[in-house]
Amino acid sequence: MGYSPVFGKRIKEAVTITKRLTRQQSRQVTREQILRSAAALFAGQGVSGTSVEQIVESAGYTRGAFYGNFEGKHELVLALLEQRTQHELEEIQAMSREAATFEEMLDHLRSWHRRRDENLASWLALRTELWLYGLRDPELLPLLADREHRSRDAIAQSLEQGFAARGVTTPAPVELLALIVHALDDGLSIQRVLFPSDSGTDSVVDVVELLMKSWTALARSTAPAAEPAAEPPTEKLEKNP
């Protein structure tokens, strides 16, 4: 069988596509490792206290690899903030899909919090660092607000499912209830790091469960009473003449 120029061209195209995909995958791996190293350094010594040189050295790359993925440290911080937000949202959404009931959702949340508790101090330190970095730059405040809204929307969706399963309507706007849960999560995480012996890994979920019971009871107590069913009209009997 003779060599076909067309066939040879297709082979070259396939090889070129494979190499291109490999380069893209390699770049993605590099980007992920740089983000991972930056996260660890930011948690330990802060964003301002961490240089690009320290990040690439920790990741095992060169400055060229860094600037091939990010224009600078500012862009890296934004990418890290978006990555963490998206990752947490995907985890919460996955738990919602897998849970058939609100109680199962709470069980998934307990497992999630227990995993997070293993590195809670560093998780909270990085979260705080990213917040501080954003608060010092007014241009980043809308991005931080968007991150919080997306997290609260996911919580609100779970709460709505929980109330619907109990056959009640929310006793207050679900957005307000989601804000309360979100704020409690932040506050209790801080208390957990400061006073580990005073609270357990399930404290956040226990509080959410308690709130749901209280809110459900409130919703039932304030629900309008069902009107009694109207009695069927009675026929008047005519007297015999």
Side-chain angles (χ1 to χ4, degrees):
M1 180 181 294
Y3 176 77
S4 169
V6 176
F7 182 69
K9 182 180 179 181
R10 289 179 179 173
I11 291 178
K12 290 181 180 180
E13 290 176 350
V15 171
T16 301
I17 292 173
T18 302
K19 287 182 177 179
R20 186 182 301 120
L21 290 175
T22 301
R23 285 197 298 270
Q24 291 174 352
Q25 293 170 349
S26 177
R27 181 178 180 181
Q28 184 63 29
V29 169
T30 300
R31 182 182 177 87
E32 291 295 325
Q33 290 180 345
I34 290 175
L35 286 170
R36 192 178 301 113
S37 295
L41 289 169
F42 290 166
Q45 56 195 44
V47 175
S48 300
T50 302
S51 65
V52 171
E53 288 75 11
Q54 290 173 320
I55 294 172
V56 296
E57 181 180 355
S58 174
Y61 292 102
T62 63
R63 287 174 60 88
F66 179 91
Y67 288 107
N69 287 275
F70 306 99
E71 292 183 0
K73 191 168 68 172
H74 179 76
E75 184 181 340
L76 181 145
V77 172
L78 296 182
L80 188 59
L81 182 62
E82 175 61 26
Q83 181 194 62
R84 286 170 56 83
T85 300
Q86 189 61 32
H87 181 65
E88 290 182 9
L89 286 176
E90 289 175 354
E91 288 186 327
I92 293 175
Q93 290 167 353
M95 286 187 284
S96 297
R97 288 193 301 268
E98 295 171 1
T101 64
F102 189 78
E103 285 66 28
E104 286 187 13
M105 179 64 179
L106 291 179
D107 289 338
H108 289 317
L109 281 173
R110 283 191 174 88
S111 299
W112 185 79
H113 276 280
R114 287 167 186 169
R115 293 193 301 271
R116 193 182 71 174
D117 196 69
E118 296 174 0
N119 301 290
L120 182 58
S122 59
W123 175 89
L124 183 61
L126 177 58
R127 176 179 170 83
T128 305
E129 274 298 321
L130 295 176
W131 260 99
L132 290 174
Y133 184 85
L135 290 174
R136 294 183 181 117
D137 186 345
E139 294 182 359
L140 291 183
L141 287 179
L143 294 177
L144 291 176
D146 177 68
R147 179 193 192 284
E148 293 301 297
H149 275 300
R150 288 156 66 186
S151 297
R152 282 157 48 184
D153 286 346
I155 295 172
Q157 184 178 1
S158 296
L159 291 176
E160 284 182 328
Q161 292 173 350
F163 284 115
R166 287 163 171 75
V168 298
T169 57
T170 59
V174 71
E175 294 81 8
L176 175 61
L177 304 184
L179 174 61
I180 293 172
V181 172
H182 191 46
L184 279 171
D185 188 7
D186 286 342
L188 290 172
S189 295
I190 295 173
Q191 297 301 312
R192 173 68 179 155
V193 172
L194 294 176
F195 310 104
S197 61
D198 293 348
S199 60
T201 56
D202 294 342
S203 57
V204 173
V205 182
D206 288 343
V207 170
V208 173
E209 187 174 22
L210 178 62
L211 285 174
M212 279 298 295
K213 290 179 179 178
S214 302
W215 288 336
T216 300
L218 178 62
R220 287 173 177 162
S221 66
T222 57
E227 296 182 0
E231 295 182 0
T234 57
E235 296 183 356
K236 294 182 179 180
L237 299 178
E238 295 184 359
K239 297 181 178 180
N240 293 325

